[in-house]
C-alpha cells in the first residue's frame, strides 16, 4: 500500500541555519505530494504542494521538489526562524481518487535564537 | 472568520460514556473528513463525506459513527468510549473538485478518556 516515511525528530537548529527534512514515499500510482505544518496548539495548515514529477512547491521560504526517480519530496529552507518551530508532516493523496491524505509520522522542528 | 470549527476543543470523559464532536465549515466545500492524531502525532484518516454521502471508512470500529446533516457539517459520535480513543481528532474540508487539492483543518478536539 501507499505510505510516507519522514526522518525522525526533533530537528534542533539555531536561527538562520539551513533546514532539510527528508520525506520519501511509496505509491502505487502517481500521487500529489504535500507538506503540512502544525504550530503548537493548532490544526494543520498546508505549507506547499506538488502535483506531478519535477514540480517544485514553495511557500514562506520553504521549498520541496517532487522527485519521482528517488520517490522523495524533501523540505528545505535556507534560513530558519524561531517562528518556524512546529511539526511538519509530509503527505500524499490521489485527488482524482479517494482524495484522502496519507501522512508521514511528522517531524518536530525546534529553532533556537 | 473561522473556516473550519470544532466543538468542543477539549473533552474529558470516562470509559463507557457516549460523546459527540461537532464540526462546521463555512468555506462552501462539499467534502469533509475526520482524522485521528495519536499521542505520537501520527495522523490517520477515519472518514470522509462528499455532499453528505460516506466516501471513506477506514476500518474504524463501529463505535464511531459520523453524521452529516448537511454538507457544511460533519459530526462524530463515539459510543462506549475506551482508553485507546484518547487522541486529538481533526476535522477537515476540501473543495472536492479534484483541482484545488488543499484540505483545510480545524483546530482539533483533544479527547481524554479516563
Amino acid at each position: 500500500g501507499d505510505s510516507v516515511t519522514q526522518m525522525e525528530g526533533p530537528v534542533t537548529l539555531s536561527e538562520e541555519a539551513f533546514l532539510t527534512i527528508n520525506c520519501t514515499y511509496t505509491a502505487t500510482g502517481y500521487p500529489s505530494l504535500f507538506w503540512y505544518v502544525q504550530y503548537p496548539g493548532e490544526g494543520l495548515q498546508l505549507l506547499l504542494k506538488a502535483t506531478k514529477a519535477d514540480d517544485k512547491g514553495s511557500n514562506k521560504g520553504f521549498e520541496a521538489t517532487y522527485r519521482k526517480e528517488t520517490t522523495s519530496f524533501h523540505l528545505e529552507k535556507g534560513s530558519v526562524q524561531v517562528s518556524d518551530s512546529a511539526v511538519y508532516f509530509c503527505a500524499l493523496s490521489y485527488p482524482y481518487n479517494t482524495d484522502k491524505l496519507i501522512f508521514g509520522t511528522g517531524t518536530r522542528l525546534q529553532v533556537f535564537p | 472568520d473561522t473556516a473550519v470549527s470544532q466543538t468542543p476543543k477539549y473533552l474529558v470523559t470516562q470509559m463507557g460514556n457516549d460523546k459527540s464532536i461537532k464540526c462546521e465549515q463555512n468555506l462552501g466545500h462539499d467534502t469533509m473528513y475526520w482524522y485521528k492524531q495519536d499521542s505520537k502525532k501520527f495522523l490517520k484518516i477515519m472518514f470522509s463525506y462528499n455532499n453528505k454521502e460516506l466516501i471513506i471508512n477506514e476500518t474504524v470500529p463501529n463505535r464511531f459513527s459520523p453524521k452529516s446533516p448537511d454538507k457544511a457539517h460533519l459530526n462524530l459520535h463515539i459510543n462506549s468510549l475506551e482508553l485507546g480513543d484518547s487522541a486529538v481528532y481533526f476535522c477537515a474540508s476540501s473543495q472536492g473538485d479534484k483541482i484545488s487539492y488543499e484540505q483545510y483543518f480545524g483546530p482539533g478536539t483533544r479527547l481524554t478518556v479516563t
Side-chain angles (χ1 to χ4, degrees), chain B residues 42-112:
Chain B
F42 185 62
L43 266 161
K44 193 167 172 13
I45 183 88
M46 299 174 70
F47 301 103
S48 82
Y49 269 72
N50 181 276
N51 277 320
K52 303 195 300 175
E53 183 182 341
L54 180 66
I55 301 298
I56 296 173
N57 182 341
E58 286 284 305
T59 60
V60 176
N62 57 15
R63 297 183 295 105
F64 290 78
S65 53
K67 286 185 174 48
S68 182
D70 55 63
K71 73 175 194 177
H73 296 83
L74 181 61
N75 303 324
L76 184 65
H77 188 75
I78 316 170
N79 289 329
S80 304
L81 278 155
E82 300 177 356
L83 292 177
D85 298 332
S86 296
V88 181
Y89 292 85
F90 287 99
C91 178
S93 72
S94 71
Q95 185 63 29
D97 61 1
K98 314 304 183 189
I99 297 174
S100 56
Y101 305 130
E102 181 173 356
Q103 291 186 21
Y104 292 78
F105 283 77
T109 296
R110 182 175 293 277
L111 171 64
T112 303

Side-chain angles (χ1 to χ4, degrees), chain A:
Chain A
D2 299 323
S3 65
V4 176
T5 303
Q6 289 181 237
M7 59 191 289
E8 290 275 339
V11 173
T12 304
L13 294 172
S14 298
E15 208 163 24
E16 299 183 4
F18 184 84
L19 168 71
T20 301
I21 300 178
N22 290 338
C23 170
T24 56
Y25 66 91
T26 303
T28 52
Y30 302 97
S32 296
L33 301 175
F34 305 83
W35 278 101
Y36 277 80
V37 58
Q38 185 179 24
Y39 297 103
E42 298 184 13
L44 281 76
Q45 303 172 28
L46 179 66
L47 181 60
L48 53 85
K49 65 177 186 277
T51 58
K52 60 183 188 298
D54 299 326
D55 268 3
K56 178 188 279 189
S58 61
N59 186 23
K60 298 181 182 178
F62 291 89
E63 291 184 340
T65 301
Y66 190 141
R67 302 273 187 215
K68 186 163 172 278
E69 63 276 12
T70 54
T71 61
S72 64
F73 193 55
H74 304 321
L75 183 68
E76 296 182 336
K77 187 175 186 184
S79 175
V80 293
Q81 306 299 312
V82 172
S83 57
D84 293 326
S85 298
V87 181
Y88 291 81
F89 292 90
C90 186
L92 67 82
S93 80
Y94 295 94
Y96 289 90
N97 195 348
T98 64
D99 206 22
K100 69 178 182 183
L101 282 164
I102 297 171
F103 286 94
T105 50
T107 302
R108 182 179 296 280
L109 170 65
Q110 297 175 323
V111 181
F112 293 96

